[in-house]
Amino acid sequence: MLLNKNHSLKNWNTFGVDVKAKLFIEVFSEDELREILSDIKFKSERKFILGGGSNILFKKDFEGLLIKVSISGINVLEENDNSVLIEAGAGIIWNELVKFCVDGNYVGIENLTLIPGTVGAAPIQNIGAYGQEFADTFVSLNGLFVETGEQKTFIKDDCKFSYRSSIFKEELKNNFVVTSVRLRLSKNLKPNLTYKALSDYLAKNGIINPTIKEVSSAVAEIRKSKLPDPQKIGNAGSFFKNPVVSEDSFRKLKAEYSDIVSFPSESGQTKISAGWLIEKCGWKGKRVGDVGTSPDHALIICNFGNATGSEILEFAMRIKEEVANKFGIQLEEEVNIL
Ligand code: EPU
């Protein structure tokens, strides 16, 4: 491990915002991480754990110790006729784990193809796409408490997973570092084709009983067609969550906007497409300086050049205001703002 001072984070966040961390350290094992967390010289430093930097907006320099977790390894721990139990290090790029599973014909995370970020970041916001969620295959994870360096294993019930959230984004926010994750994948389940965009794409391409490789390729194609590649245009995927409203509020909105895009949610509530709400406010493809929404997807805020974190945030706040004024809905950030 190597400690860097005044380290540029431009290549460590997918928005490509040019900020610095006062202290930056990359750790390659749980032992190295424990050593750092218990090191007396860092005791008083504010600490933040960086995964892939794909869901974070730095609005200014980080005046503390930024820890990049680069713990590697993908291992099959158990295998029987029906399933496999896989353990992956928190530093593994999420899509590498997806590829490993798709190549092995292990079913359960193929719809999560090409989600940016690392394995360790996946449980924090319970990543999801095209009808699958991280929590669906999750078994347990290991990690350390930031304050004490103490180790703990969390099983599924401990994690309080919900739509784009978990205990690690709420009560334990910035207080627990994931070091490894265990998932159970099926060897004989059929792919999940409940998401309309996915089933439509497969049908259009004449694929009737897709293999998981075909599902993974289809998801990759759909993503590429509407989500800008963060390697080329700075972005962090969906900036806001899709808001969930009561049955009554939804009925009123639907009466006024018959084309509103929505999905059923838990306990009779309705999830509304934030992309649709933003587009309806006239903000799809809108640009202010180097910041703008993607012309293909209004929920993706992009850094088209050298935007600062505060310019991106200001733009996002204007979107929130417009949506609140027009629809009476308060959008909530999906991206972590630091
Ligand atoms: N839509 C619009 N205008 C837009 C964008 C979307 O009207 O500018 C409408 C369209 O009708 C479209 C529908 O919204 O068919 C749904 O769009 P999409 O399939 O892209 O899904 P989403 O609800 O916008 C969510 C996730 C994405 C995930 C997709 C696919 C959230 C906040 N976002 O987006 O996740 O890839 O579903 O499952 O739940 C991410 O978390 O960063 C992310 C990209």
Side-chain angles (χ1 to χ4, degrees):
M1 65 188 157
L2 198 64
L3 181 70
N4 293 289
K5 292 188 175 161
N6 286 320
H7 188 73
S8 168
L9 299 177
K10 191 168 165 60
N11 295 328
W12 295 96
N13 71 100
T14 59
F15 265 121
V17 166
D18 198 4
V19 284
K20 288 190 170 62
K22 188 176 85 175
L23 299 166
F24 179 93
I25 200 155
E26 191 171 2
V27 294
F28 296 90
S29 68
E30 195 172 281
D31 285 344
E32 284 188 357
L33 179 63
R34 192 178 295 106
E35 205 181 302
I36 291 300
L37 296 177
S38 53
D39 192 326
I40 196 79
K41 9 182 231 299
F42 302 128
K43 257 299 169 243
S44 61
E45 294 292 348
R46 181 179 173 207
K47 298 182 188 74
F48 185 77
I49 313 301
L50 193 64
S54 56
N55 203 44
I56 188 157
L57 177 63
F58 289 103
K59 55 179 185 201
K60 53 179 190 299
D61 289 344
F62 182 71
E63 295 299 332
L65 174 66
L66 203 82
I67 304 171
K68 164 75 186 139
V69 177
S70 295
I71 300 171
S72 61
I74 301 180
N75 295 299
V76 174
L77 301 183
E78 276 172 32
E79 180 159 10
N80 60 34
D81 289 348
N82 301 318
S83 69
V84 281
L85 180 66
I86 292 177
E87 184 171 70
I92 296 283
I93 301 294
W94 172 259
N95 201 49
E96 295 300 317
L97 179 61
V98 173
K99 275 193 207 146
F100 177 90
C101 295
V102 168
D103 287 345
N105 271 316
Y106 307 141
V107 185
I109 56 172
E110 57 286 350
N111 296 20
L112 308 181
T113 296
L114 278 189
I115 293 191
T118 56
V119 165
I124 312 296
Q125 56 149 345
N126 183 21
I127 57 171
Y130 306 103
Q132 260 176 9
E133 267 186 358
F134 174 81
D136 301 340
T137 47
F138 177 82
V139 175
S140 66
L141 60 77
N142 276 326
L144 306 181
F145 286 96
V146 173
E147 293 268 306
T148 58
E150 181 204 341
Q151 201 209 31
K152 183 170 162 136
T153 300
F154 282 75
I155 58 164
K156 193 165 177 175
D157 280 352
D158 299 331
C159 296
K160 301 189 183 169
F161 287 124
S162 61
Y163 168 57
R164 290 300 194 279
S165 193
S166 72
I167 192 167
F168 312 106
K169 209 174 166 181
E170 300 291 333
E171 294 102 293
L172 291 179
K173 190 170 178 178
N174 300 336
N175 225 329
F176 189 77
V177 196
V178 177
T179 53
S180 67
V181 160
R182 289 183 179 192
L183 302 179
R184 185 170 293 281
L185 288 106
S186 165
K187 287 168 82 176
N188 41 34
L189 264 183
K190 288 233 165 7
N192 173 342
L193 307 178
T194 50
Y195 202 85
K196 195 171 174 303
L198 179 57
S199 52
D200 284 356
Y201 178 92
L202 290 162
K204 213 175 88 197
N205 286 279
I207 302 170
I208 296 160
N209 278 317
T211 62
I212 65 160
K213 284 194 182 70
E214 286 169 327
V215 172
S216 175
S217 306
V219 168
E221 287 310 312
I222 300 169
R223 286 187 76 93
K224 282 186 206 154
S225 73
K226 57 172 153 185
L227 302 175
D229 178 357
Q231 306 269 17
K232 296 183 186 133
I233 296 172
N235 77 88
S238 305
F239 196 93
F240 300 104
K241 292 186 194 182
N242 286 326
V244 176
V245 300
S246 68
E247 209 176 326
D248 193 40
S249 312
F250 179 66
R251 213 175 310 112
K252 287 180 190 143
L253 284 163
K254 181 84 183 163
E256 200 170 341
Y257 304 97
S258 57
D259 60 334
I260 191 164
V261 177
S262 64
F263 317 90
S265 180
E266 290 127 44
S267 54
Q269 294 184 304
T270 304
K271 201 185 263 179
I272 297 177
S273 157
W276 182 90
L277 293 169
I278 299 167
E279 180 172 352
K280 272 282 162 190
C281 290
W283 279 63
K284 185 172 182 171
K286 185 165 176 137
R287 262 179 89 154
V288 177
D290 276 346
V291 191
T293 47
S294 162
D296 302 316
H297 202 303
L299 190 50
I300 318 290
I301 300 183
C302 301
N303 176 3
F304 289 104
N306 294 310
T308 64
S310 47
E311 282 165 351
I312 295 171
L313 192 59
E314 204 175 297
F315 184 90
M317 293 309 114
R318 283 182 64 189
I319 291 181
K320 268 178 103 159
E321 211 177 293
E322 298 264 337
V323 169
N325 288 344
K326 189 170 171 73
F327 297 102
I329 291 177
Q330 205 56 45
L331 290 179
E332 196 189 318
E333 289 79 13
E334 204 234 287
V335 165
N336 207 344
I337 295 163
L338 204 64

